[in-house]
Amino acid sequence: MSNKIYADNAATTRLSHNAYEAMLPYLTEEYGNASQLYSFARAPKTALRKARTIIAECIGAMPEEIFFTSCGTESDNWAIQGAVQKRLDIVTSSIEHSAILRPCQYAEKEGINVVYLPVSKEGIISPLTLNTALSNGRKLVSIMYANNEIGTLEPIAQLAETAHRHNCIFHTDAVQAVGHIHINVRELDVDMLSASAHKFNGPKGIGFMFIKKGIDWPSLIKGGAQEYNQRAGTENIASIIGMAVALQENVASIDDDTQHIRKLEDRVIKGLSEAGVSFKRNGSSMHIPGNISLSFPNAEAEVLLHRLDLLGVSVSTGSACDSKKTQVSHVLSAIGLDEGYAKGTIRISLNKDNTLEEANTIAKIISSIISNNRI
Ligand code: PLP
């Protein structure tokens, strides 16, 4: 990637070098099965315990409230499919990730009533709107912490409080938030929280679910007795360790990284404005650091993405495209973005690894593509 600029960190991130180093012994030497009783299982078992404690500390939880899963998608499925097993109706939002929306469609087929709350034009779910949807009976409320397309941070503490006033269980898909903003599950008072390591410089294919002590939530993956009988399957020790190291590292530098990333954001926006490019920034001023959703009027996002790619810059589109027609994403539709803007929407997601020089270059390249009418 030497002369390439990676600006799609909301899709995935580079593996932390320290995480990689910490993982190695558990792939090569200490490969024992942590569930076994003999001494060869001692090192992986100890490492598993340590990783659980580190992760719990990073989000203000207790170790026994952390359950390792294979990814954010599995954690989200666990929340929604648990509601189906418990026959609880669900209230969620119209801007959730497909890891929530697809299981919700399944829940509806299983006879569960699912309400999809609308959002403001900044992508915010109002606690008042949630309140009106919670009149009768215990439900599962699942609202994402940070939106993956436009970066908007939701008022999770107020939403959880609203849910609890109605005796409901509150889950948050915090896949885009964990490791990027300070999170304390006690202060937020959430009952369940999903996370995924590859979004915070950990390895791919590993995630976790926080389930508050006392919440009786049915398991999704049934089989062996791993994870306190709650999530079966031999633990992926190396990845769990990599996840813990990466999270600890990210959490320790959140404040410095946020400062740096905000400067990068400003540089991109300033660069485009100074070049006289016409654009609209989506989302709210309360957003996850580094997420810049930009809509260029009358542009084709996919063409812009390919032109940027040819010039060495990786970003993603805010709209899924097929060969004939650009499909406007459900998030951009939910915030009421005009189709002329929605079709020309890209997501630049910067993180601690990006430099000011890269931010300048991104702005310059986009400006030259747009001003030369090459989209
Ligand atoms: N939820 C959100 C908000 C996401 O952004 C993603 C991934 O992009 C997921 C869930 C799924 O996570 P994973 O890739 O670990 O399955």
Side-chain angles (χ1 to χ4, degrees), residues 148-292:
N148 47 301
E149 286 189 37
I150 57 172
T152 299
L153 287 167
E154 300 300 339
I156 292 300
Q158 289 101 303
L159 292 166
E161 196 267 327
T162 307
H164 290 150
R165 247 190 292 123
H166 292 270
N167 191 29
C168 293
I169 297 176
F170 191 87
H171 165 256
T172 184
D173 170 353
V175 165
Q176 291 288 339
V178 171
H180 299 282
I181 56 171
H182 291 294
I183 290 184
N184 182 303
V185 289
R186 298 278 171 257
E187 284 168 13
L188 293 172
D189 197 18
V190 295
D191 300 308
M192 290 186 277
L193 174 146
S194 305
S196 176
H198 74 104
K199 306 289 188 183
F200 53 78
N201 303 92
K204 294 171 181 57
I206 191 76
F208 69 87
M209 176 78 140
F210 156 80
I211 305 182
K212 188 167 139 189
K213 202 169 179 180
I215 298 288
D216 170 30
W217 207 245
S219 59
L220 175 68
I221 310 284
K222 299 174 191 355
Q226 293 91 352
E227 299 299 297
Y228 310 106
N229 265 316
Q230 288 288 87
R231 197 280 186 182
T234 302
E235 298 90 346
N236 182 351
I237 304 286
S239 295
I240 289 169
I241 288 159
M243 171 161 69
V245 170
L247 184 57
Q248 194 174 37
E249 207 169 70
N250 267 28
V251 166
S253 63
I254 279 181
D255 295 332
D256 289 346
D257 292 342
T258 301
Q259 251 191 0
H260 169 66
I261 297 166
R262 295 285 188 218
K263 282 190 196 140
L264 302 182
E265 285 183 29
D266 291 349
R267 197 58 78 87
V268 172
I269 299 299
K270 209 165 155 222
L272 291 172
S273 305
E274 283 173 358
V277 174
S278 165
F279 69 92
K280 181 180 182 320
R281 182 169 186 183
N282 304 304
S284 154
S285 57
M286 293 295 288
H287 63 267
I288 205 75
N291 185 310
I292 312 174

Side-chain angles (χ1 to χ4, degrees), residues 79-123:
I80 302 301
Q81 299 205 34
V84 178
Q85 289 185 52
K86 285 175 91 72
R87 306 304 301 165
L88 290 177
D89 286 340
I90 298 169
V91 176
T92 186
S93 84
S94 50
I95 60 164
E96 298 296 312
H97 189 271
S98 51
I100 291 288
L101 294 177
R102 293 291 298 279
C104 279
Q105 286 165 10
Y106 158 80
E108 287 184 272
K109 286 198 186 107
E110 292 295 308
I112 300 293
N113 185 41
V114 184
V115 171
Y116 301 89
L117 298 177
V119 297
S120 72
K121 61 183 191 328
E122 290 86 21

Side-chain angles (χ1 to χ4, degrees), residues 6-13 148 176 198-199 291 347 349-350:
Y6 182 69
D8 198 19
N9 290 283
T12 198
T13 55
N148 47 301
Q176 291 288 339
H198 74 104
K199 306 289 188 183
N291 185 310
R347 178 190 67 187
S349 46
L350 304 169

